[in-house]
Every structure is written in structure tokens, then in C-alpha cells.
Amino acid sequence: MILLAVLVVLTGCTVDRPGEDAEAAPVAQVTIAPTAGATDVDPVAPVSVTVANGTIDQIALTNAGGKQITGQLSPDRTTYKVTEPLGYGATYTWAGTAVGADAKPIPIEATFTTISPQSTIPATINIGDGQEVGIAAPIILKFAGPVTNKAAVEKALTVTTDQGTEGSWAWLPDDGGSRVHWRPKNYWTPGTTVHVDAKLYGVDLGGGAYGDSDVTSDFTIGRSQIVIANAPSHRMQVVRDGATIFDFAVSYGEGNEPRNVTRSGVHIVTEKYEDFMMSNPPYYTNVRERWAVRISNNGEFIHANPESLSAQGSSNVTNGCINLSPGDAQAYFPTALYGDPVEVTGTSIELSQADGDVYDWTLDWPTWKSMSALPAE
């Protein structure tokens, strides 16, 4: 009888008593990024609310005017992420509720402020969406003011192609604002599709300035067309996809003084006009020229000039342009695309920075890469 009594007592000691030792259900833990009260927040930095031991019941981020900022709630309702850039110099407020595993609500409350730049600087790109360009076309990003934090800007720039094209950014001397060019190591492969993505909004450009907005472009490389321009030959060939489609008698710069030397080096076609008023004081002013294709910003064009017709094919007499007959110039004009290379050889002065804004192909590849703001890979 004594043994039985002990067994009953022991068994009685193992009986659970509901609620007596059970752990309490956990409360919701809310993490807000950026933290409550944060200032000088990057307007493109990640902004989110995350809940552990519970779920988000209601959530909203609004600006000072009451406008709700777009965001996305995760399927399990534990994370909410803002999906649009914020404004500069703005205050934002979180409001909402999280519910813990204990079924009790926890408020989601916080306020933060984004950075207020001294200024914002817009940028433009030289090639528009859907444009077809020549095989030597550089990508030019031009800023409306100075950029001192060049490395940060360059990290925000990407060029993607369907050909895996090797290329590099290079910072050229300011021209009314900073400018950065991208070109491939060699001429583009015809037919290449190119996407440029410059995520500049929110980037610290230096000197208190920030990026004004993002810039993108999607364009295509056209056929291969190269102008072969050898000054001593007094001729100019147009080579399309490896075949010579034109072989014109021309006249180059007279070359008896620096001002009228047609520069040697790889120029590119930048613009063209059926009619163009040319001036080169004191030598001539407002002379109407036809079928004018610009190849540099120092005044060099490929254009028609009846006045030099007798010299075309036999001597060089121009002020630096490449003169053709009206008929030949008219035949060449419609074939020219922005970015077509014009390879001039046989003159006494090389194309350089002094001749305008596009002298990219006069620089060898190691030199070009050294002009990037980022370390070589």
C-alpha cells in the first residue's frame, strides 16, 4: 500500500496545469529604415518597414503634403518597401500598425527628412532613343555644371550591348560644364543594340550639387561606313561594309599656314545641312554652301564648292574643308550618319582637343582608359 501511494504522488507531480508555465506569445518587433528622426537621407536609399514576430496590418508613407508614396507589401506581410524615389529636402512620415503573434497591435510611427542640396545639375545625352548611328559614335553625357565627384558619377553609369562590347568612360575637359564620353575600344560592330543607363538622381556630384534626374537611351549602330580622306591623293573614298561606293575628286586645305590645314586623324560626322552659311573672318563671311557635313567643331566640313572645282582631284586649295563638286556632295550627303568615321591622313597637323569637342578616336586605348575616374580593372 505504501508503494502505491508513492506512485500516485509522483504521477500527480507531472500533470500540466494550463496557463501556469506556458510562455507568452511574442510581441511584434518593428524595424524602420531609415531610423526615426534621420536627416540628410539619400532620396534613393532603401526605405522600408520590417516586422518580426508578426505582420503588417496597415502601412503608409506620406510626404508633408499628405501624398502617399508608392510601395509594395511582401506576400507574407512582414516587409513593406518604398518603390519610388523620394524628393530632395522633404519630410516623410510613417503611419500604420503591426500585429504580433500575441494578437496585440503595435503602432508604426516615424519621421525622417531627405537631404537638401545646394543645387541640382541636369545632364543630357547626345544620342536619342531609337536613333541609328555610325560605327565611331561616342556616347556623350554633358552636365549643365561642374562635377567634382567624378568617381561617384561614373559608378552610376552603365552601357549594355548585345555584343559584349568592350569600352570605357573618359572625362574630357569641361566645356560649359563637365562631360564624360564612352567609346568602344574599336569601332562598333554594325547592328549592335545599346542601352545607356545613367542613374544620376540622388548622386552627390560634389560641391553641394546633386544629380537632377536619371538619363537613359536605347539606340542602334547602323551599317559600317568609313570615309577615307588622304590629302596628298586629292581624292576621298566612301567605304560601305568593306566595299567602295564612292571615289570622289576633292580638294583639301591648302596647308600653307596652320589655319587652313585639314587636320589628320579620325573625325566623326556630327551634323549635316543641305544649306549652311559659313564664315571664316577675315577670309570670308556668310558664304552659302550646299550639302555640308560637319566633321569637327573647328569649322571642318565635307561640302560642295563650285569655286574650287578646277582644283578638285589635282591640288589642295581650301581653307581646311574637304570640297567636292555639287553633284558628288549631293550624292554623299544622304548616306552620312552621326558617328560615321572620317579618317583624314597626310597633313601636317593632327586633330586634337584644340579642334573641338569630339577628338575621342585620336587617343590610343591606354590613354583613353586612363581618363576614367575609376581604377583600371
Side-chain angles (χ1 to χ4, degrees):
M1 293 297 294
I2 295 174
L3 178 61
L4 178 61
V6 171
L7 289 173
V8 170
V9 172
L10 291 174
T11 303
C13 289
T14 64
V15 174
D16 290 335
R17 302 182 185 279
E20 186 175 290
D21 296 316
E23 292 185 6
V27 300
Q29 295 180 340
V30 178
T31 302
I32 300 176
T35 57
T39 59
D40 293 337
V41 172
D42 182 344
V44 294
V47 177
S48 65
V49 170
T50 302
V51 175
N53 303 324
T55 57
I56 296 171
D57 182 37
Q58 300 177 48
I59 189 72
L61 180 68
T62 55
N63 63 18
K67 177 182 179 296
Q68 186 167 330
I69 308 305
T70 303
Q72 185 172 14
L73 183 64
S74 64
D76 64 0
R77 304 186 67 86
T78 62
T79 303
Y80 182 83
K81 295 181 178 180
V82 169
T83 55
E84 67 173 292
L86 305 181
Y88 286 123
T91 298
Y92 294 90
T93 301
W94 285 109
T97 305
V99 177
D102 62 354
K104 295 180 180 179
I106 296 291
I108 299 172
E109 299 174 336
T111 298
F112 65 91
T113 305
T114 57
I115 194 166
S116 296
Q118 294 180 18
S119 63
T120 60
I121 298 177
T124 55
I125 194 166
N126 65 321
I127 304 174
D129 281 335
Q131 190 173 346
E132 184 179 79
V133 298
I135 60 172
I139 300 166
I140 301 174
L141 201 62
K142 177 71 182 295
F143 293 84
V147 172
T148 57
N149 196 358
K150 292 180 170 60
V153 169
E154 201 169 324
K155 288 176 182 177
L157 309 179
T158 57
V159 176
T160 307
T161 77
D162 65 345
Q163 301 284 339
T165 308
E166 181 181 359
S168 177
W169 293 100
W171 291 86
L172 277 65
D174 286 10
D175 180 20
S178 293
R179 55 186 175 139
V180 60
H181 293 205
W182 192 98
R183 74 161 175 88
K185 181 178 181 180
N186 302 303
Y187 291 157
W188 295 98
T189 299
T192 300
T193 59
V194 185
H195 174 69
V196 183
D197 196 0
K199 294 188 177 299
L200 298 171
Y201 181 74
V203 175
D204 181 357
L205 307 184
Y210 279 72
D212 181 78
S213 58
D214 294 345
V215 179
T216 64
S217 181
D218 290 275
F219 61 92
T220 305
I221 308 302
R223 79 288 176 270
S224 170
Q225 180 162 298
I226 303 171
V227 172
I228 307 297
N230 178 252
S233 74
H234 316 300
R235 302 198 68 85
M236 184 188 94
Q237 289 80 37
V238 180
V239 180
R240 170 83 62 85
D241 295 324
T244 300
I245 60 171
F246 297 120
D247 188 346
F248 298 132
V250 300
S251 182
Y252 296 88
E254 185 175 3
N256 61 327
E257 53 183 301
R259 70 165 187 86
N260 61 21
V261 174
T262 306
R263 281 12 183 189
S264 285
V266 179
H267 305 60
I268 72 163
V269 170
T270 55
E271 55 190 1
K272 59 183 185 178
Y273 307 90
E274 291 188 12
D275 286 279
F276 192 74
M277 301 301 291
M278 293 189 183
S279 296
N280 186 10
Y283 308 101
Y284 58 89
T285 303
N286 290 331
V287 176
R288 181 186 179 222
E289 302 291 4
R290 296 275 290 162
W291 314 115
V293 176
R294 184 188 290 277
I295 60 172
S296 79
N297 274 353
N298 68 357
E300 290 175 311
F301 283 81
I302 300 171
H303 67 91
N305 190 349
E307 298 298 321
S308 67
L309 195 58
S310 61
Q312 291 168 21
S314 59
S315 60
N316 294 327
V317 299
T318 81
N319 281 281
C321 290
I322 303 174
N323 285 181
L324 293 77
S325 71
D328 289 347
Q330 186 175 5
Y332 163 66
F333 183 86
T335 75
L337 278 181
Y338 175 84
D340 283 346
V342 178
E343 300 176 350
V344 178
T345 57
T347 70
S348 60
I349 299 177
E350 295 290 322
L351 184 72
S352 70
Q353 177 185 336
D355 295 298
D357 61 345
V358 183
Y359 56 97
D360 302 19
W361 294 97
T362 68
L363 302 170
D364 62 45
W365 187 239
T367 300
W368 182 262
K369 290 183 68 177
S370 73
M371 295 164 65
S372 166
L374 299 178
E377 294 182 354

